[in-house]
Amino acid sequence: MKDYLSGKKDATTKTQSQPASQTVTESKPAPASQAKPAQTSPASSTPASQVISSAPVSAGSEDKVMEMDRVGKIIADHMVMSKNVSPHVTTVVEVDVTKLVQWRSRNKEAFRKREGISLTYMPAITEATAKALSEFPQVNASVNGYQIILKKHINVGIAVSLDDGNLIVPVVRDADKLNLNGLAVAIDTLANKARDNKLAPDDIQGGTFTITNFGTFKNLFATPIINQPQVAILGVGYIEKKPAVIETPEGDTIGIRHKMYLSLSYDHRLINGALGGAFLRRIADYLENWSL
């Protein structure tokens, strides 16, 4: 049995679930392509030697000129640095999450009464991702020159949008050791702390992988930028109903299924197409065969 008070998995049992679009709709995790790095504290910034200056642009007499705020400058520098450090490749897979959607519909009210928070899709997506990371350790890694650093802990950053328009990536530590309830509570707590500007430095440091949810804005998919010094980032698209061919013992038939896109941007210095594709497919398999 799972320990619902601690949020940790019983040593004898593993959850067999596996993402977020509506997850994030409720807990408001958001695109991380421009998010503050999980390993960077609010007071830090990219070294000046790593900042790439853009060509000067002239403003017209009727244009409005606004100065980026401090966080915006950190984000801008970090994103430029990431694109210059890592050769980015993105792969996309379409996932049938009908079982997950139906499960959530059946259990969301009981979950709210028991836990006091909304049951979103993000804990399931995070659990599926943590399971896949444990099976593919090279995705839970960093590159240092010609060295590969395989991370012992699986610390998943969840991008959260802030009221000022900026983004931040609080980190769920040891996500692979938490059950679904533990992940739901951790994600909800961090998202609320982020929006209330109450995150501690430790809350945004030490991430080994990031999830960003474009589905919040009903976007199908995107190609997020890697959150350095990580080597991959998962983008979650919007869940929508689609007609699909369903195989049955009596033959093929057309039915309505809940589908979503997942995109994985990864560092081609370490992750090749076979590894990136297999890792993303594993997350999709967990979600398509969702079961507790």
Side-chain angles (χ1 to χ4, degrees):
M1 298 292 294
K2 296 177 185 176
D3 183 350
Y4 288 104
L5 294 177
S6 67
K8 295 197 174 180
K9 294 180 182 176
D10 189 292
T12 63
T13 306
K14 282 192 176 181
T15 305
Q16 296 181 358
S17 57
Q18 298 334 113
S21 58
Q22 284 79 356
T23 285
V24 192
T25 300
E26 296 179 24
S27 66
K28 291 275 184 188
S33 308
Q34 303 171 7
K36 184 173 8 177
Q39 291 74 25
T40 304
S41 69
S44 66
S45 61
T46 304
S49 60
Q50 297 181 10
V51 177
I52 307 299
S53 299
S54 59
V57 178
S58 299
S61 59
E62 298 182 73
D63 295 338
K64 180 179 180 180
V65 178
M66 298 174 59
E67 187 73 18
M68 288 185 184
D69 62 20
R70 178 176 157 279
V71 173
K73 292 176 181 178
I74 293 173
I75 292 171
D77 290 345
H78 193 70
M79 294 300 97
V80 171
M81 179 271 288
S82 182
K83 291 292 285 187
N84 280 277
V85 166
S86 297
H88 281 56
V89 177
T90 301
T91 188
V92 179
V93 66
E94 187 177 42
V95 189
D96 185 336
V97 290
T98 303
K99 290 182 179 179
L100 175 59
V101 170
Q102 292 173 343
W103 175 85
R104 177 179 176 270
S105 296
R106 292 193 305 268
N107 291 278
K108 61 183 180 180
E109 290 305 322
F111 185 90
R112 183 189 293 274
K113 290 178 181 178
R114 184 176 71 242
E115 302 296 333
I117 58 176
S118 297
L119 175 60
T120 66
Y121 295 109
M122 186 57 83
I125 295 171
T126 304
E127 182 172 273
T129 302
K131 284 187 173 185
L133 287 169
S134 68
E135 297 176 49
F136 295 86
Q138 276 190 269
V139 184
N140 192 61
S142 291
V143 176
N144 180 36
Y146 292 112
Q147 293 180 330
I148 300 169
I149 303 172
L150 302 179
K151 302 294 186 176
K152 179 179 180 180
H153 297 276
I154 296 176
N155 299 332
V156 180
I158 309 291
V160 178
S161 60
L162 304 177
D163 292 338
D164 61 5
N166 286 313
L167 303 165
I168 196 166
V169 185
V171 176
V172 178
R173 298 184 180 281
D174 292 314
D176 57 319
K177 293 181 172 59
L178 297 175
N179 63 22
L180 191 73
N181 291 56
L183 288 169
V185 171
I187 292 169
D188 184 78
T189 299
L190 288 169
N192 287 327
K193 289 173 67 176
R195 288 192 290 270
D196 293 338
N197 197 28
K198 293 182 179 179
L199 288 173
D202 284 348
D203 291 329
I204 58 173
Q205 294 178 349
T208 60
F209 186 89
T210 295
I211 299 174
T212 177
N213 181 23
F214 300 100
T216 301
F217 312 106
K218 295 190 176 181
N219 295 167
L220 295 181
F221 65 89
T223 56
I225 297 175
I226 297 166
N227 192 11
Q228 297 292 332
Q230 299 166 21
V231 294
I233 179 171
L234 180 72
V236 178
Y238 181 63
I239 298 176
E240 60 179 356
K241 294 180 182 180
K242 289 184 176 182
V245 175
I246 303 171
E247 296 181 358
T248 71
E250 293 75 30
D252 293 346
T253 184
I254 301 294
I256 303 300
R257 308 295 290 179
H258 294 268
K259 299 280 190 97
M260 69 183 296
Y261 290 104
L262 296 177
S263 60
L264 181 75
S265 292
Y266 53 91
D267 188 334
H268 214 331
R269 294 178 300 170
L270 175 60
I271 303 172
N272 60 27
L275 175 59
F279 172 76
L280 186 60
R281 185 64 250 174
R282 187 60 54 86
I283 296 174
D285 288 342
Y286 280 130
L287 295 175
E288 289 189 339
N289 298 287
W290 174 262
S291 174
L292 279 178

